[in-house]
Amino acid sequence: MARARGRGDAGPARRGGLSERLFRALRTGPRLRAVAAWLGAVYIRFVTRTARGARIGQDQQDRSIAAEGGLIAVMWHGRLFVSPIFAPPWRHTVAMISNSRDGDLIAAIVGHWGVETVRGSTYDRRKRQDKGGADAFAAAEAALREGALLAITPDGPRGPRMRAQPGAAQLAQRTGVPVLPIAFSVRRGWLLGSWDRFLLPAPFGRGVIITAEPLQPPAPEAGRDAAERFRLAIEQTLTALTEEADRRCGRPSVEAGAAEPGTPARPRLAPDDPRLAEQDESQPGIGLQSGSKDQTDAKRAARSAGRDEAASRA
């Protein structure tokens, strides 16, 4: 069945022939991958600095990122494009990325924002291969306990699309840190034909970023049932935010992958939901480059604290 195209949607990208060989070279060749990562970082900065649009829940996002203690930020894999701009230079930020060739490229791109990575993903049953998931989980837990901002795509690295895997919920429950759901969409861009239906924005467009209130995890002793309810809350909130962002940009919603039998239907956000309160409808730049005064003050305070600590050690 043909997929409906959104406004400004160029349709699924197809690879073949020369482009397929080039794509493989970018994934396998370290020099070409470094060049591709640099170009990717340049394009992300160019798009986010030339875009205009609404940032809904920006104050909540600023407060959450500036607060002390660990924080887990989640976005769907198909909306990864803007994720590096949520990494403030004054805060220790870690991204959980798959131990794959595609992950190598993503890790190289986010490295331009000073983002550290923990590499690993769930056991691949099809290939019967350990992807380093247990080690990555342990490293991510340690980073959270040290107060890091941890970025996770709950449906990565291979889906099902827009279906949360248990990792983010389990990490939050074990460490007691909140989960911050973030979604974005744009009016002009390309919806790729990848498994995650990756959204690639065009420059000089209009977009929206929506941040929900942080989701508080259940206590560690609450057990697996509580963890499953929390996983489902992450999935439903993140999907509802993404659908609302697409609606505001006139873009058809992306269908989620097949869910486990018995999974409840996801709710949609009501028009009067407090998470959808408008904030600065026509701001230049949809990222953190033009952050709020609270964020700037937090940045200065962190730098001042760092200088004081260095002076005390001297």
Side-chain angles (χ1 to χ4, degrees):
M1 183 174 61
R3 179 188 54 81
R5 295 185 181 181
R7 185 182 305 176
D9 192 348
R14 294 180 173 83
R15 299 193 301 269
L18 179 61
S19 61
E20 175 68 22
R21 292 195 295 272
L22 177 60
F23 181 76
R24 290 178 178 175
L26 291 176
R27 295 173 64 200
T28 58
R31 293 183 180 179
L32 283 177
R33 186 168 59 242
V35 172
W38 180 82
L39 291 173
V42 168
Y43 186 73
I44 292 172
R45 288 192 170 102
F46 181 57
V47 168
T48 56
R49 288 174 178 174
T50 60
R52 299 179 69 88
R55 294 199 294 264
I56 301 169
Q58 182 67 37
D59 289 344
Q60 176 62 65
Q61 182 185 111
D62 290 346
R63 287 194 299 269
S64 298
I65 291 178
E68 294 183 0
L71 176 69
I72 299 175
V74 293
M75 299 182 74
W76 289 136
H77 200 279
R79 305 301 167 101
L80 267 178
F81 183 86
V82 298
S83 60
I85 67 176
F86 301 126
W90 47 271
R91 176 158 189 181
H92 181 208
T93 304
V94 179
M96 200 169 192
I97 299 175
S98 66
N99 193 14
S100 64
R101 292 174 180 174
D102 290 343
D104 291 343
L105 180 59
I106 296 173
I109 291 175
V110 300
H112 286 271
W113 278 263
V115 177
E116 298 179 10
T117 59
V118 292
R119 305 294 302 277
S121 52
T122 54
Y123 180 80
D124 191 330
R125 295 182 179 180
R126 182 172 57 87
K127 296 181 179 180
R128 297 181 179 180
Q129 184 178 3
D130 181 9
K131 307 293 283 188
D135 291 341
F137 188 95
E141 181 178 352
L144 286 172
R145 294 189 185 280
E146 293 174 358
L149 168 61
L150 177 68
I152 298 180
T153 54
D155 58 342
R158 291 292 181 182
R161 178 177 60 252
M162 298 169 66
R163 299 294 182 186
Q165 302 300 314
Q170 291 175 354
L171 279 169
Q173 185 181 22
R174 286 174 64 92
T175 60
V177 306
V179 174
L180 187 69
I182 305 173
F184 96 97
S185 189
V186 291
R187 291 184 180 273
R188 295 177 57 246
W190 298 269
L191 196 65
L192 306 187
S194 52
W195 69 267
D196 57 355
R197 302 296 185 268
F198 191 89
L199 180 58
L200 181 65
F204 301 101
R206 294 188 65 85
V208 60
I209 294 176
I210 306 179
T211 304
E213 294 183 2
L215 302 177
Q216 300 298 328
E221 61 272 14
R224 293 185 178 180
D225 290 344
E228 171 57 22
R229 289 192 295 270
F230 188 59
R231 181 204 66 80
L232 187 58
I234 294 172
E235 178 179 299
Q236 292 178 334
T237 302
L238 197 50
T239 297
L241 292 180
T242 304
E243 288 184 345
E244 178 61 22
D246 283 340
R247 185 190 67 79
R248 287 171 175 257
C249 291
R251 179 174 292 277
S253 297
V254 174
E255 289 296 323
E260 294 293 331
T263 300
R266 61 180 183 269
R268 294 179 181 273
L269 294 180
D272 59 348
D273 192 296
R275 287 172 290 184
L276 301 183
E278 291 290 354
Q279 294 182 18
D280 300 332
E281 182 63 32
S282 59
Q283 295 181 24
I286 60 175
L288 294 180
Q289 292 90 341
S290 53
S292 68
K293 181 179 182 300
D294 289 343
Q295 185 186 9
T296 302
D297 292 343
K299 185 187 302 184
R300 290 174 178 172
R303 289 175 176 172
S304 177
R307 289 194 297 267
D308 293 343
E309 182 178 357
S312 65
R313 292 177 179 178

